[in-house]
Amino acid sequence: MEKNPVCEMLGIRYPVFQGGMAWIADAKLASAVSEAGGLGLIAAMNSNGEQLRAQIHEARKLTDKVFGVNLMLMSPYIDEAVDVVCEEKITVVTTGAGNPVKYMERLKGAGVKVICVVASVALAKMVEDMGASAVIAEGCESGGHVGETTTMALVPQVVDAVNIPVIAAGGIADGRGMAAAFMLGASAVQMGTRFLTAKECGVHENYKEKVLSAKDRDTIVTGKTLGHPVRALKNRMSREFDRMEKDPDTKPEDLEKLGAGALRRAAIEGDVRNGSCMCGQIAGLVNSEETCEEIITGICRDAYRLMGKE
Ligand code: TUI
């Protein structure tokens, strides 16, 4: 195999990142992905500083391989999370759902590599100028917080605009998707939905079942009117949100109230009717629960075969 710039930069075997899924991506999932040769990520979203530090220590007990932390920029704990990541000398962070420029200097100063999720060429260029090590070009097929451009259109435009490696995300769950991403110029892929159903993923069983049985048109984007569009599986909660959002009499506070705690309700409590089951459009392709090792080696084997690089 020829050298891969992302694998070289991070010291990982396979160019596969696990998405930083809030309330879901914990030390157990991240360490399993890293053990399997990919890049596991602990989601800092739902943790305060000390909880995040505990997760980092836990992951270090479970693997001696490189793992990272995902910083969700809308998190109420973002400042504490940045401090902990710097103190713990984490190798790499990914950032999402906002503009990370405010935190770049602090992270880089502590020797942390910063890889930013971008949904536009403009932000990709800005973070490259600020010293990002790579960017994750995430199309709107993704689950959770989404931009407006598809992976197919976003990835090659970002690839042409920057000189740092590009990781493709959104709508990728198998070897065909990975090979396609490489054809668009990506150097690695990030997957969320596929790892949501991994054996080592601790998301509530009800949520996992709903993803495994989802079909191609089973997701919906809500929250555009609040400025943070989110893709999730269709259920009572997302349909009600959609209906209220289209009603001119609905106040933004009513929507905020409906959305508050919704991801936790689904991911932790297993309430998949009244909670938010964030999930990508590729869910229809994700039909079996496998270990992280089976997922990563299977996808890379299939992708390399398709690319004629066995
Ligand atoms: O962040 C994500 N996905 C997420 S975060 C999340 S937690 C949440 N919970 C409730 C409501 C909202 C979020 C669930 N899923 N993905 C990374 C991502 N970042 N996708 C798109 C973007 C993005 C979009 C616009 C990044 C930057 C951006 O630009 C902002 C700017 O200021 O230029």
Side-chain angles (χ1 to χ4, degrees):
M1 270 306 295
E2 64 203 61
K3 286 183 176 166
N4 176 291
V6 174
C7 292
E8 293 275 302
M9 172 174 45
L10 299 172
I12 57 176
R13 180 157 179 211
Y14 297 112
V16 175
F17 289 18
Q18 162 237 312
M21 300 168 282
W23 287 106
I24 296 169
D26 59 3
K28 186 173 172 220
L29 179 63
S31 60
V33 170
S34 290
E35 271 296 293
L39 182 73
L41 291 145
I42 295 170
M45 163 65 186
N46 46 296
S47 318
N48 64 28
E50 286 324 298
Q51 288 164 332
L52 175 61
R53 199 189 301 280
Q55 285 289 308
I56 292 168
H57 291 178
E58 170 86 16
R60 285 189 175 139
K61 278 192 214 141
L62 296 169
T63 185
D64 54 12
K65 299 207 164 61
V66 170
F67 64 86
V69 169
N70 171 259
L71 298 170
M72 207 296 248
L73 296 163
M74 283 161 38
S75 163
Y77 303 113
I78 182 68
D79 283 288
E80 290 178 42
V82 171
D83 286 341
V84 169
V85 156
C86 294
E87 287 159 19
E88 293 289 334
K89 306 209 176 309
I90 289 292
T91 307
V92 57
V93 298
T94 60
T95 67
N99 188 328
V101 163
K102 195 174 140 194
Y103 304 101
M104 294 282 283
E105 223 168 293
R106 222 156 107 209
L107 289 161
K108 281 178 54 71
V112 179
K113 290 187 178 72
V114 184
I115 300 184
C116 308
V117 174
V118 298
S120 66
V121 165
L123 189 62
K125 283 183 173 166
M126 190 191 298
V127 299
E128 178 183 40
D129 287 344
M130 292 291 298
S133 297
V135 288
I136 301 169
E138 189 181 288
C140 57
E141 296 93 323
S142 297
H145 186 82
V146 287
E148 288 186 348
T149 310
T150 60
T151 303
M152 182 74 119
L154 181 66
V155 172
Q157 294 187 71
V158 171
V159 166
D160 284 352
V162 298
N163 292 306
I164 48 180
V166 177
I167 296 110
I172 302 167
D174 68 4
R176 292 170 298 180
M178 182 170 177
F182 276 67
M183 291 298 111
L184 296 175
S187 302
V189 296
Q190 170 172 289
M191 300 188 295
T193 304
R194 186 73 201 267
F195 285 116
L196 196 49
T197 63
K199 285 216 168 93
E200 298 91 339
C201 179
V203 73
H204 196 286
E205 273 307 311
N206 297 352
Y207 195 141
K208 229 184 234 190
E209 284 301 318
K210 216 167 154 60
V211 175
L212 288 169
S213 59
K215 299 190 296 296
D216 55 341
R217 298 183 63 216
D218 285 350
T219 70
I220 183 172
V221 175
T222 58
K224 256 193 184 169
T225 57
L226 295 177
H228 46 85
V230 165
R231 182 182 299 284
L233 287 171
K234 289 176 183 165
N235 63 1
R236 198 163 87 173
M237 148 90 194
S238 55
R239 284 197 177 95
E240 174 65 4
F241 203 110
D242 186 50
R243 192 195 60 73
M244 282 173 66
E245 210 166 22
K246 286 173 179 154
D247 178 346
D249 293 333
T250 302
K251 294 193 268 316
E253 308 88 85
D254 300 336
L255 287 176
E256 295 280 4
K257 204 159 35 172
L258 185 64
L263 180 56
R264 182 183 193 285
R265 216 146 52 228
I268 310 292
E269 294 164 20
D271 184 350
V272 293
R273 295 187 72 212
N274 305 302
S276 174
C277 301
M278 296 186 189
C279 172
Q281 285 184 318
I282 203 69
L285 204 78
V286 178
N287 299 316
S288 66
E289 194 177 354
E290 290 181 290
T291 64
C292 291
E293 200 199 338
E294 287 164 345
I295 293 171
I296 294 171
T297 54
I299 281 176
C300 291
R301 180 197 60 224
D302 291 349
Y304 293 149
R305 192 174 290 156
L306 286 167
M307 293 187 286
K309 297 181 190 172
E310 290 200 41

